[in-house]
Amino acid sequence: MKTDSTTPNHPFYEKVETLLSSMTIREKLGQCVMIEPCFCLDERTSEQFGESYDGVDDPKYLSMLLEEYHIGAFLFGGASQIEDGSAKAWATYINKVSEQNRKTRLKIPMMYGIDAVHGVNFMKGSTIYTHNLAVAGTWNPALTEQYASTVGAELSALGFNLNFSPTIDTARDVRWGRVYESLGEDPFLASQVARALVKGMQSSGNLAACAKHFLGYGESRNGMDRTQADLSDRVLLEMHAPPFEAAIEEDVLTMMVNGADVNGVPVPVSKKLLTGLLRDKMAFKGITMSDWEDVERLYSRHKVVTSRRDSLIRSFNAGLDMNMAVCNIAAVDTMESAVREGSIAMERVDQAVRNILLTKYKLGLFDADPVNIQQASVRVGNDESKKLAKQLATESITLLKNDNNLLPLKKNLKSVLVTGQSANSKRHLCAGWTLGWASAEEDDLSCATLLDAIKTSVSHDTTITYAASTEELTALNLNKEDFDVCIAVISEEPHAEWTGDSFDLALEEEEEAMLKASVATEIPVVMVSMIGRPLKMNWAHEHVSALLWIYSPGTEGAAATADILFGDANPSGKLPISFPQDGSQVPCVYNARSYQSDEVWTRYEPLYEFGFGLSYTSFAYSELCVPTMVKSGEDITVSVTVTNTGERAGEDIVQLYLRDQFATVTRPLKSLKAFRRIQLEPGESKTVQLTLTPAELGLYDEELNYVVEARKIDVLIGDLTGEFRIED
Ligand code: GLC
């Protein structure tokens, strides 16, 4: 049982209170300001400030930040780099800052935060994993936890003790540019994945995960990044809160706040959400931090305050503990005067600093040794991480169409045509947040491309012909009889945040032209979609023979894809998000509060539905056993038998959905409430037991109280349906 570190009998409590009582106001406020040293150096040495320093490790510069402003945390954003970006450079810098910090009066250890969102992705030579949407697409919490633990260990070996990860937003509008970073449209799947990511990331004990972005970020009014979200309390509680509740149950140490306007109030100044919901209702006890300069944006963008000074006062009073101020070290001065004039209460300051100090104690930072630079370098890009990244990519890859079992391809085909510029691209494999914010430089990555992997998979007698563009394809003047198959690799420009927003979900012009030119060859086409999110696939679905969604599978993704293309692995991914027919059908989510009827606006008719994914084998479901009744407040266990009716081993994901026959409030068309990934040999059967607890059986009633209401409920697994009733 975790003892609550905020209660007097906890050993940290005494230490924190003693330290807190010895701190000056300025020392306290410095703990609440997070600075990005590279950006801040640029600003301080610019004409505006005219200060002169010899670099981010200049003792004068560090002394100014740590001793004059008492800054307690450094962040390194997507665009930051220390020297050559090597493990040695990063670890050496962190040691230098920590050494300078030991000259401060109280020597309160620093937090060092960075975005390691799909591996230690800012580090040259590191293993780049697939992104979160694909991680959710594996439906494999155990593997997910192992992945997060491996990345966490690599990151803390470098000296970082805060990872701005995981993104655990549910994405309810696929036009959003960050869908690929999210955990998909379903709160239950997102919760299970969030739990595994936080548990794994924090398993080393000296790295804080950061659940982000609390909350409602994935459902803005028009799907665009950071535009206003108008979400009812019910939608917030049912569709956006659950992953954050799961993260809190896993004792996530920090929470990054969505900077956007939710229901008319930007979340950094929303007492209702930051204090009422997050602290009081969800009992979060860790650090709340703003996103990048989002406190300043309260003034410059949202205009909900009349000055930058008021943005600091209002956000802090709403319950924000740490301001990701980036360059604004003057925030310490401003807040100090605000405290002295009584605009910010000392109790609020103490509460924020208490959360921060407790976290630093929990992470063992007060006893931390300097970073071992040799050890830090050894871990980067090691074989364990490569193996794990390949397995994660393999289990996420989803087969969406496979006419006449065209896949898997034989390795001794006579002749294969490969098309698409990204077939020979490393940066498209990795997509956003790779060695930078939006995309890596091609030459900074070292991994196999899909074309490389295809070439090494086929026999020596197989001819591979490659056309990177429609012009090259035309110039081949090829005869369709000369080719067995065309593998058309279609992708999109790597992007981050708003740069990826898509109003119409259209493929990029060149990519669409490449796809159509590939189909026009009249060679059977296997489309490999290297797109991290559901763009419009209906034309593709109509015209290609097979469609494999590989997401943005990372540095080991080409090998994973080739294994599946040529049958060394059997695809097992299932969709964590729906594919709309086209942009006009958005939002298109399987669990809308809706009912199936003839009216168009109520129908859920995606191109590919949530939870869908084909296999090279087939599975049959039988013997669904559902107890007829369960008492309110008790668990119910359902069982079902799954048989592999095909000729090869495979993994299936048993998905249990509930559908309320009636309730006192309208309910989702159906809701995922349990799942299990199982491996079956040909002809093998397994009986799977899935238990539902009150946490899955309840609902928010009209007053938004969570209750387990007496009612009849259908159980849907595979093509089977059962029912039970809940009795008071
Ligand atoms: C960005 C992102 C956030 C990231 C932060 C620091 O604006 O919204 O996810 O962690 O800045 O890089």
Side-chain angles (χ1 to χ4, degrees), residues 390 394 397 407-409 411 449-458 487 528 548 550 556-569 616:
K390 182 181 174 185
T394 303
I397 289 173
L407 290 178
L409 301 173
K411 292 182 179 180
T449 66
L450 205 43
L451 183 61
D452 296 332
I454 291 168
K455 285 177 179 173
T456 51
S457 299
V458 296
I487 300 173
V528 174
L548 198 63
I550 68 170
E556 314 312 309
T561 305
D563 279 1
I564 287 182
L565 282 172
F566 294 98
D568 290 331
Y616 291 154

PDB file of all heavy atoms in Angstrom, residues 390 394 397 407-409 411 449-458 487 528 548 550 556-569 616:
ATOM      1  N   LYS A 390      11.517  -3.597 -32.668  1.00  0.00           N
ATOM      2  CA  LYS A 390      11.011  -4.395 -33.796  1.00  0.00           C
ATOM      3  C   LYS A 390       9.756  -5.154 -33.390  1.00  0.00           C
ATOM      4  O   LYS A 390       8.765  -5.193 -34.138  1.00  0.00           O
ATOM      5  CB  LYS A 390      12.078  -5.368 -34.286  1.00  0.00           C
ATOM      6  CG  LYS A 390      11.603  -6.165 -35.489  1.00  0.00           C
ATOM      7  CD  LYS A 390      12.637  -7.168 -35.992  1.00  0.00           C
ATOM      8  CE  LYS A 390      12.039  -8.028 -37.103  1.00  0.00           C
ATOM      9  NZ  LYS A 390      12.954  -9.093 -37.549  1.00  0.00           N
ATOM     10  N   THR A 394       6.136  -4.767 -35.032  1.00  0.00           N
ATOM     11  CA  THR A 394       5.500  -5.953 -35.615  1.00  0.00           C
ATOM     12  C   THR A 394       4.093  -6.146 -35.070  1.00  0.00           C
ATOM     13  O   THR A 394       3.143  -6.368 -35.810  1.00  0.00           O
ATOM     14  CB  THR A 394       6.346  -7.202 -35.324  1.00  0.00           C
ATOM     15  OG1 THR A 394       7.671  -7.005 -35.825  1.00  0.00           O
ATOM     16  CG2 THR A 394       5.730  -8.447 -35.957  1.00  0.00           C
ATOM     17  N   ILE A 397       1.540  -3.501 -36.477  1.00  0.00           N
ATOM     18  CA  ILE A 397       1.215  -3.462 -37.908  1.00  0.00           C
ATOM     19  C   ILE A 397      -0.120  -4.168 -38.148  1.00  0.00           C
ATOM     20  O   ILE A 397      -0.367  -5.257 -37.640  1.00  0.00           O
ATOM     21  CB  ILE A 397       2.359  -4.087 -38.721  1.00  0.00           C
ATOM     22  CG1 ILE A 397       3.580  -3.156 -38.688  1.00  0.00           C
ATOM     23  CG2 ILE A 397       1.927  -4.351 -40.170  1.00  0.00           C
ATOM     24  CD1 ILE A 397       4.848  -3.722 -39.304  1.00  0.00           C
ATOM     25  N   LEU A 407      -1.227 -11.550 -49.637  1.00  0.00           N
ATOM     26  CA  LEU A 407      -0.171 -11.594 -48.610  1.00  0.00           C
ATOM     27  C   LEU A 407      -0.367 -12.856 -47.770  1.00  0.00           C
ATOM     28  O   LEU A 407      -1.511 -13.295 -47.598  1.00  0.00           O
ATOM     29  CB  LEU A 407      -0.269 -10.355 -47.704  1.00  0.00           C
ATOM     30  CG  LEU A 407       0.101  -9.024 -48.326  1.00  0.00           C
ATOM     31  CD1 LEU A 407      -0.108  -7.904 -47.322  1.00  0.00           C
ATOM     32  CD2 LEU A 407       1.521  -9.028 -48.826  1.00  0.00           C
ATOM     33  N   PRO A 408       0.726 -13.449 -47.247  1.00  0.00           N
ATOM     34  CA  PRO A 408       2.128 -13.044 -47.401  1.00  0.00           C
ATOM     35  C   PRO A 408       2.684 -13.403 -48.783  1.00  0.00           C
ATOM     36  O   PRO A 408       2.217 -14.346 -49.405  1.00  0.00           O
ATOM     37  CB  PRO A 408       2.838 -13.851 -46.311  1.00  0.00           C
ATOM     38  CG  PRO A 408       2.008 -15.082 -46.133  1.00  0.00           C
ATOM     39  CD  PRO A 408       0.593 -14.662 -46.394  1.00  0.00           C
ATOM     40  N   LEU A 409       3.642 -12.607 -49.226  1.00  0.00           N
ATOM     41  CA  LEU A 409       4.289 -12.821 -50.510  1.00  0.00           C
ATOM     42  C   LEU A 409       5.324 -13.939 -50.388  1.00  0.00           C
ATOM     43  O   LEU A 409       5.900 -14.128 -49.317  1.00  0.00           O
ATOM     44  CB  LEU A 409       4.994 -11.524 -50.947  1.00  0.00           C
ATOM     45  CG  LEU A 409       4.111 -10.291 -51.112  1.00  0.00           C
ATOM     46  CD1 LEU A 409       4.973  -9.063 -51.376  1.00  0.00           C
ATOM     47  CD2 LEU A 409       3.083 -10.496 -52.209  1.00  0.00           C
ATOM     48  N   LYS A 411       8.973 -15.513 -50.996  1.00  0.00           N
ATOM     49  CA  LYS A 411      10.281 -14.863 -51.036  1.00  0.00           C
ATOM     50  C   LYS A 411      10.986 -15.117 -52.373  1.00  0.00           C
ATOM     51  O   LYS A 411      11.916 -14.403 -52.730  1.00  0.00           O
ATOM     52  CB  LYS A 411      11.161 -15.373 -49.881  1.00  0.00           C
ATOM     53  CG  LYS A 411      10.661 -14.936 -48.534  1.00  0.00           C
ATOM     54  CD  LYS A 411      11.566 -15.401 -47.417  1.00  0.00           C
ATOM     55  CE  LYS A 411      11.036 -14.928 -46.068  1.00  0.00           C
ATOM     56  NZ  LYS A 411      11.871 -15.359 -44.939  1.00  0.00           N
ATOM     57  N   THR A 449      16.029   1.006 -44.687  1.00  0.00           N
ATOM     58  CA  THR A 449      14.776   1.497 -45.239  1.00  0.00           C
ATOM     59  C   THR A 449      13.920   0.283 -45.615  1.00  0.00           C
ATOM     60  O   THR A 449      14.409  -0.856 -45.632  1.00  0.00           O
ATOM     61  CB  THR A 449      15.023   2.320 -46.511  1.00  0.00           C
ATOM     62  OG1 THR A 449      15.537   1.420 -47.522  1.00  0.00           O
ATOM     63  CG2 THR A 449      15.984   3.464 -46.272  1.00  0.00           C
ATOM     64  N   LEU A 450      12.685   0.545 -45.977  1.00  0.00           N
ATOM     65  CA  LEU A 450      11.805  -0.550 -46.372  1.00  0.00           C
ATOM     66  C   LEU A 450      12.357  -1.241 -47.634  1.00  0.00           C
ATOM     67  O   LEU A 450      12.335  -2.470 -47.740  1.00  0.00           O
ATOM     68  CB  LEU A 450      10.403   0.016 -46.626  1.00  0.00           C
ATOM     69  CG  LEU A 450       9.226  -0.933 -46.468  1.00  0.00           C
ATOM     70  CD1 LEU A 450       9.364  -1.806 -45.254  1.00  0.00           C
ATOM     71  CD2 LEU A 450       7.927  -0.145 -46.397  1.00  0.00           C
ATOM     72  N   LEU A 451      12.912  -0.445 -48.529  1.00  0.00           N
ATOM     73  CA  LEU A 451      13.483  -1.028 -49.748  1.00  0.00           C
ATOM     74  C   LEU A 451      14.650  -1.954 -49.394  1.00  0.00           C
ATOM     75  O   LEU A 451      14.737  -3.077 -49.900  1.00  0.00           O
ATOM     76  CB  LEU A 451      13.954   0.089 -50.685  1.00  0.00           C
ATOM     77  CG  LEU A 451      14.507  -0.328 -52.042  1.00  0.00           C
ATOM     78  CD1 LEU A 451      13.442  -1.059 -52.857  1.00  0.00           C
ATOM     79  CD2 LEU A 451      15.044   0.886 -52.812  1.00  0.00           C
ATOM     80  N   ASP A 452      15.490  -1.501 -48.461  1.00  0.00           N
ATOM     81  CA  ASP A 452      16.605  -2.356 -48.015  1.00  0.00           C
ATOM     82  C   ASP A 452      16.058  -3.685 -47.472  1.00  0.00           C
ATOM     83  O   ASP A 452      16.536  -4.770 -47.790  1.00  0.00           O
ATOM     84  CB  ASP A 452      17.380  -1.682 -46.872  1.00  0.00           C
ATOM     85  CG  ASP A 452      18.052  -0.385 -47.278  1.00  0.00           C
ATOM     86  OD1 ASP A 452      18.391  -0.242 -48.460  1.00  0.00           O
ATOM     87  OD2 ASP A 452      18.206   0.497 -46.401  1.00  0.00           O
ATOM     88  N   ALA A 453      15.041  -3.570 -46.622  1.00  0.00           N
ATOM     89  CA  ALA A 453      14.518  -4.772 -45.946  1.00  0.00           C
ATOM     90  C   ALA A 453      13.863  -5.721 -46.934  1.00  0.00           C
ATOM     91  O   ALA A 453      13.961  -6.947 -46.817  1.00  0.00           O
ATOM     92  CB  ALA A 453      13.527  -4.354 -44.867  1.00  0.00           C
ATOM     93  N   ILE A 454      13.196  -5.151 -47.938  1.00  0.00           N
ATOM     94  CA  ILE A 454      12.581  -6.009 -48.966  1.00  0.00           C
ATOM     95  C   ILE A 454      13.682  -6.754 -49.729  1.00  0.00           C
ATOM     96  O   ILE A 454      13.606  -7.961 -49.951  1.00  0.00           O
ATOM     97  CB  ILE A 454      11.698  -5.171 -49.917  1.00  0.00           C
ATOM     98  CG1 ILE A 454      10.450  -4.652 -49.172  1.00  0.00           C
ATOM     99  CG2 ILE A 454      11.280  -5.980 -51.152  1.00  0.00           C
ATOM    100  CD1 ILE A 454       9.669  -3.597 -49.929  1.00  0.00           C
ATOM    101  N   LYS A 455      14.723  -6.022 -50.078  1.00  0.00           N
ATOM    102  CA  LYS A 455      15.829  -6.636 -50.837  1.00  0.00           C
ATOM    103  C   LYS A 455      16.474  -7.782 -50.052  1.00  0.00           C
ATOM    104  O   LYS A 455      16.798  -8.830 -50.597  1.00  0.00           O
ATOM    105  CB  LYS A 455      16.884  -5.586 -51.178  1.00  0.00           C
ATOM    106  CG  LYS A 455      16.472  -4.644 -52.303  1.00  0.00           C
ATOM    107  CD  LYS A 455      17.532  -3.568 -52.550  1.00  0.00           C
ATOM    108  CE  LYS A 455      17.135  -2.648 -53.692  1.00  0.00           C
ATOM    109  NZ  LYS A 455      18.066  -1.496 -53.835  1.00  0.00           N
ATOM    110  N   THR A 456      16.625  -7.603 -48.740  1.00  0.00           N
ATOM    111  CA  THR A 456      17.271  -8.675 -47.963  1.00  0.00           C
ATOM    112  C   THR A 456      16.309  -9.814 -47.653  1.00  0.00           C
ATOM    113  O   THR A 456      16.731 -10.890 -47.254  1.00  0.00           O
ATOM    114  CB  THR A 456      17.826  -8.123 -46.621  1.00  0.00           C
ATOM    115  OG1 THR A 456      16.790  -7.411 -45.960  1.00  0.00           O
ATOM    116  CG2 THR A 456      19.000  -7.203 -46.846  1.00  0.00           C
ATOM    117  N   SER A 457      15.018  -9.590 -47.890  1.00  0.00           N
ATOM    118  CA  SER A 457      14.051 -10.661 -47.573  1.00  0.00           C
ATOM    119  C   SER A 457      13.852 -11.637 -48.726  1.00  0.00           C
ATOM    120  O   SER A 457      13.567 -12.808 -48.518  1.00  0.00           O
ATOM    121  CB  SER A 457      12.678 -10.049 -47.220  1.00  0.00           C
ATOM    122  OG  SER A 457      12.794  -9.236 -46.098  1.00  0.00           O
ATOM    123  N   VAL A 458      13.985 -11.139 -49.956  1.00  0.00           N
ATOM    124  CA  VAL A 458      13.656 -11.988 -51.112  1.00  0.00           C
ATOM    125  C   VAL A 458      14.870 -12.831 -51.511  1.00  0.00           C
ATOM    126  O   VAL A 458      15.974 -12.603 -51.053  1.00  0.00           O
ATOM    127  CB  VAL A 458      13.182 -11.135 -52.307  1.00  0.00           C
ATOM    128  CG1 VAL A 458      11.884 -10.414 -51.971  1.00  0.00           C
ATOM    129  CG2 VAL A 458      14.254 -10.139 -52.744  1.00  0.00           C
ATOM    130  N   ILE A 487       4.743  -3.304 -54.640  1.00  0.00           N
ATOM    131  CA  ILE A 487       4.623  -2.840 -53.250  1.00  0.00           C
ATOM    132  C   ILE A 487       4.700  -1.315 -53.278  1.00  0.00           C
ATOM    133  O   ILE A 487       5.750  -0.743 -53.557  1.00  0.00           O
ATOM    134  CB  ILE A 487       5.744  -3.416 -52.363  1.00  0.00           C
ATOM    135  CG1 ILE A 487       5.677  -4.951 -52.355  1.00  0.00           C
ATOM    136  CG2 ILE A 487       5.633  -2.878 -50.934  1.00  0.00           C
ATOM    137  CD1 ILE A 487       6.852  -5.617 -51.647  1.00  0.00           C
ATOM    138  N   VAL A 528       1.523  -0.279 -48.740  1.00  0.00           N
ATOM    139  CA  VAL A 528       2.059  -0.183 -47.380  1.00  0.00           C
ATOM    140  C   VAL A 528       1.894   1.264 -46.953  1.00  0.00           C
ATOM    141  O   VAL A 528       2.523   2.162 -47.500  1.00  0.00           O
ATOM    142  CB  VAL A 528       3.542  -0.590 -47.335  1.00  0.00           C
ATOM    143  CG1 VAL A 528       4.116  -0.339 -45.938  1.00  0.00           C
ATOM    144  CG2 VAL A 528       3.704  -2.060 -47.714  1.00  0.00           C
ATOM    145  N   LEU A 548      -1.623  -2.719 -45.945  1.00  0.00           N
ATOM    146  CA  LEU A 548      -0.964  -2.960 -44.664  1.00  0.00           C
ATOM    147  C   LEU A 548      -0.668  -1.608 -44.038  1.00  0.00           C
ATOM    148  O   LEU A 548      -0.005  -0.759 -44.646  1.00  0.00           O
ATOM    149  CB  LEU A 548       0.350  -3.715 -44.910  1.00  0.00           C
ATOM    150  CG  LEU A 548       1.004  -4.434 -43.747  1.00  0.00           C
ATOM    151  CD1 LEU A 548       0.113  -5.554 -43.207  1.00  0.00           C
ATOM    152  CD2 LEU A 548       2.349  -5.009 -44.185  1.00  0.00           C
ATOM    153  N   ILE A 550       1.365   0.339 -41.401  1.00  0.00           N
ATOM    154  CA  ILE A 550       2.529   0.128 -40.542  1.00  0.00           C
ATOM    155  C   ILE A 550       2.770   1.301 -39.604  1.00  0.00           C
ATOM    156  O   ILE A 550       3.765   1.307 -38.871  1.00  0.00           O
ATOM    157  CB  ILE A 550       3.789  -0.189 -41.375  1.00  0.00           C
ATOM    158  CG1 ILE A 550       4.248   1.018 -42.190  1.00  0.00           C
ATOM    159  CG2 ILE A 550       3.569  -1.398 -42.276  1.00  0.00           C
ATOM    160  CD1 ILE A 550       5.623   0.802 -42.831  1.00  0.00           C
ATOM    161  N   GLU A 556      13.488   0.263 -36.497  1.00  0.00           N
ATOM    162  CA  GLU A 556      13.433  -1.207 -36.709  1.00  0.00           C
ATOM    163  C   GLU A 556      12.171  -1.580 -37.485  1.00  0.00           C
ATOM    164  O   GLU A 556      11.857  -2.763 -37.648  1.00  0.00           O
ATOM    165  CB  GLU A 556      13.461  -1.934 -35.364  1.00  0.00           C
ATOM    166  CG  GLU A 556      14.510  -1.424 -34.376  1.00  0.00           C
ATOM    167  CD  GLU A 556      15.890  -1.261 -34.997  1.00  0.00           C
ATOM    168  OE1 GLU A 556      16.375  -2.196 -35.635  1.00  0.00           O
ATOM    169  OE2 GLU A 556      16.472  -0.163 -34.883  1.00  0.00           O
ATOM    170  N   GLY A 557      11.470  -0.579 -37.958  1.00  0.00           N
ATOM    171  CA  GLY A 557      10.176  -0.841 -38.583  1.00  0.00           C
ATOM    172  C   GLY A 557      10.255  -1.468 -39.963  1.00  0.00           C
ATOM    173  O   GLY A 557       9.340  -2.171 -40.390  1.00  0.00           O
ATOM    174  N   ALA A 558      11.340  -1.200 -40.679  1.00  0.00           N
ATOM    175  CA  ALA A 558      11.448  -1.794 -42.021  1.00  0.00           C
ATOM    176  C   ALA A 558      11.564  -3.311 -41.907  1.00  0.00           C
ATOM    177  O   ALA A 558      10.878  -4.054 -42.620  1.00  0.00           O
ATOM    178  CB  ALA A 558      12.661  -1.213 -42.733  1.00  0.00           C
ATOM    179  N   ALA A 559      12.368  -3.760 -40.967  1.00  0.00           N
ATOM    180  CA  ALA A 559      12.535  -5.215 -40.773  1.00  0.00           C
ATOM    181  C   ALA A 559      11.218  -5.843 -40.334  1.00  0.00           C
ATOM    182  O   ALA A 559      10.816  -6.901 -40.829  1.00  0.00           O
ATOM    183  CB  ALA A 559      13.624  -5.468 -39.732  1.00  0.00           C
ATOM    184  N   ALA A 560      10.504  -5.134 -39.440  1.00  0.00           N
ATOM    185  CA  ALA A 560       9.213  -5.651 -38.976  1.00  0.00           C
ATOM    186  C   ALA A 560       8.240  -5.775 -40.139  1.00  0.00           C
ATOM    187  O   ALA A 560       7.542  -6.783 -40.294  1.00  0.00           O
ATOM    188  CB  ALA A 560       8.658  -4.722 -37.901  1.00  0.00           C
ATOM    189  N   THR A 561       8.214  -4.762 -40.985  1.00  0.00           N
ATOM    190  CA  THR A 561       7.290  -4.765 -42.123  1.00  0.00           C
ATOM    191  C   THR A 561       7.626  -5.880 -43.113  1.00  0.00           C
ATOM    192  O   THR A 561       6.733  -6.595 -43.577  1.00  0.00           O
ATOM    193  CB  THR A 561       7.337  -3.405 -42.835  1.00  0.00           C
ATOM    194  OG1 THR A 561       7.078  -2.362 -41.881  1.00  0.00           O
ATOM    195  CG2 THR A 561       6.314  -3.331 -43.964  1.00  0.00           C
ATOM    196  N   ALA A 562       8.901  -6.044 -43.392  1.00  0.00           N
ATOM    197  CA  ALA A 562       9.323  -7.096 -44.340  1.00  0.00           C
ATOM    198  C   ALA A 562       8.970  -8.476 -43.796  1.00  0.00           C
ATOM    199  O   ALA A 562       8.504  -9.349 -44.527  1.00  0.00           O
ATOM    200  CB  ALA A 562      10.811  -6.986 -44.595  1.00  0.00           C
ATOM    201  N   ASP A 563       9.139  -8.665 -42.484  1.00  0.00           N
ATOM    202  CA  ASP A 563       8.762  -9.962 -41.876  1.00  0.00           C
ATOM    203  C   ASP A 563       7.301 -10.258 -42.160  1.00  0.00           C
ATOM    204  O   ASP A 563       6.919 -11.394 -42.459  1.00  0.00           O
ATOM    205  CB  ASP A 563       8.978  -9.928 -40.359  1.00  0.00           C
ATOM    206  CG  ASP A 563      10.437 -10.169 -39.982  1.00  0.00           C
ATOM    207  OD1 ASP A 563      11.260 -10.332 -40.921  1.00  0.00           O
ATOM    208  OD2 ASP A 563      10.760 -10.153 -38.789  1.00  0.00           O
ATOM    209  N   ILE A 564       6.464  -9.235 -42.074  1.00  0.00           N
ATOM    210  CA  ILE A 564       5.025  -9.462 -42.289  1.00  0.00           C
ATOM    211  C   ILE A 564       4.734  -9.612 -43.776  1.00  0.00           C
ATOM    212  O   ILE A 564       4.017 -10.519 -44.198  1.00  0.00           O
ATOM    213  CB  ILE A 564       4.204  -8.332 -41.640  1.00  0.00           C
ATOM    214  CG1 ILE A 564       4.242  -8.525 -40.117  1.00  0.00           C
ATOM    215  CG2 ILE A 564       2.777  -8.303 -42.163  1.00  0.00           C
ATOM    216  CD1 ILE A 564       3.461  -7.563 -39.299  1.00  0.00           C
ATOM    217  N   LEU A 565       5.346  -8.784 -44.605  1.00  0.00           N
ATOM    218  CA  LEU A 565       5.101  -8.883 -46.053  1.00  0.00           C
ATOM    219  C   LEU A 565       5.447 -10.280 -46.581  1.00  0.00           C
ATOM    220  O   LEU A 565       4.739 -10.823 -47.418  1.00  0.00           O
ATOM    221  CB  LEU A 565       5.947  -7.845 -46.806  1.00  0.00           C
ATOM    222  CG  LEU A 565       5.462  -6.404 -46.789  1.00  0.00           C
ATOM    223  CD1 LEU A 565       6.504  -5.483 -47.417  1.00  0.00           C
ATOM    224  CD2 LEU A 565       4.116  -6.247 -47.499  1.00  0.00           C
ATOM    225  N   PHE A 566       6.504 -10.858 -46.064  1.00  0.00           N
ATOM    226  CA  PHE A 566       6.980 -12.142 -46.601  1.00  0.00           C
ATOM    227  C   PHE A 566       6.704 -13.317 -45.661  1.00  0.00           C
ATOM    228  O   PHE A 566       7.269 -14.397 -45.821  1.00  0.00           O
ATOM    229  CB  PHE A 566       8.468 -12.039 -46.947  1.00  0.00           C
ATOM    230  CG  PHE A 566       8.725 -11.071 -48.077  1.00  0.00           C
ATOM    231  CD1 PHE A 566       9.130  -9.765 -47.811  1.00  0.00           C
ATOM    232  CD2 PHE A 566       8.483 -11.435 -49.392  1.00  0.00           C
ATOM    233  CE1 PHE A 566       9.322  -8.864 -48.835  1.00  0.00           C
ATOM    234  CE2 PHE A 566       8.665 -10.537 -50.443  1.00  0.00           C
ATOM    235  CZ  PHE A 566       9.089  -9.241 -50.160  1.00  0.00           C
ATOM    236  N   GLY A 567       5.833 -13.080 -44.669  1.00  0.00           N
ATOM    237  CA  GLY A 567       5.301 -14.197 -43.895  1.00  0.00           C
ATOM    238  C   GLY A 567       6.121 -14.692 -42.737  1.00  0.00           C
ATOM    239  O   GLY A 567       5.751 -15.681 -42.099  1.00  0.00           O
ATOM    240  N   ASP A 568       7.225 -14.006 -42.409  1.00  0.00           N
ATOM    241  CA  ASP A 568       7.972 -14.441 -41.225  1.00  0.00           C
ATOM    242  C   ASP A 568       7.258 -14.027 -39.954  1.00  0.00           C
ATOM    243  O   ASP A 568       7.605 -14.454 -38.856  1.00  0.00           O
ATOM    244  CB  ASP A 568       9.388 -13.842 -41.230  1.00  0.00           C
ATOM    245  CG  ASP A 568      10.227 -14.488 -42.330  1.00  0.00           C
ATOM    246  OD1 ASP A 568       9.957 -15.665 -42.658  1.00  0.00           O
ATOM    247  OD2 ASP A 568      11.088 -13.804 -42.911  1.00  0.00           O
ATOM    248  N   ALA A 569       6.293 -13.150 -40.101  1.00  0.00           N
ATOM    249  CA  ALA A 569       5.445 -12.770 -38.949  1.00  0.00           C
ATOM    250  C   ALA A 569       4.018 -12.657 -39.463  1.00  0.00           C
ATOM    251  O   ALA A 569       3.781 -12.336 -40.622  1.00  0.00           O
ATOM    252  CB  ALA A 569       5.902 -11.437 -38.355  1.00  0.00           C
ATOM    253  N   TYR A 616      -3.202 -13.635 -41.156  1.00  0.00           N
ATOM    254  CA  TYR A 616      -2.957 -14.636 -42.199  1.00  0.00           C
ATOM    255  C   TYR A 616      -3.630 -15.954 -41.840  1.00  0.00           C
ATOM    256  O   TYR A 616      -3.628 -16.891 -42.631  1.00  0.00           O
ATOM    257  CB  TYR A 616      -1.461 -14.869 -42.376  1.00  0.00           C
ATOM    258  CG  TYR A 616      -0.721 -13.695 -42.969  1.00  0.00           C
ATOM    259  CD1 TYR A 616       0.641 -13.500 -42.713  1.00  0.00           C
ATOM    260  CD2 TYR A 616      -1.352 -12.751 -43.772  1.00  0.00           C
ATOM    261  CE1 TYR A 616       1.345 -12.425 -43.262  1.00  0.00           C
ATOM    262  CE2 TYR A 616      -0.665 -11.672 -44.316  1.00  0.00           C
ATOM    263  CZ  TYR A 616       0.676 -11.522 -44.060  1.00  0.00           C
ATOM    264  OH  TYR A 616       1.379 -10.468 -44.599  1.00  0.00           O
TER     265      TYR A 616
END
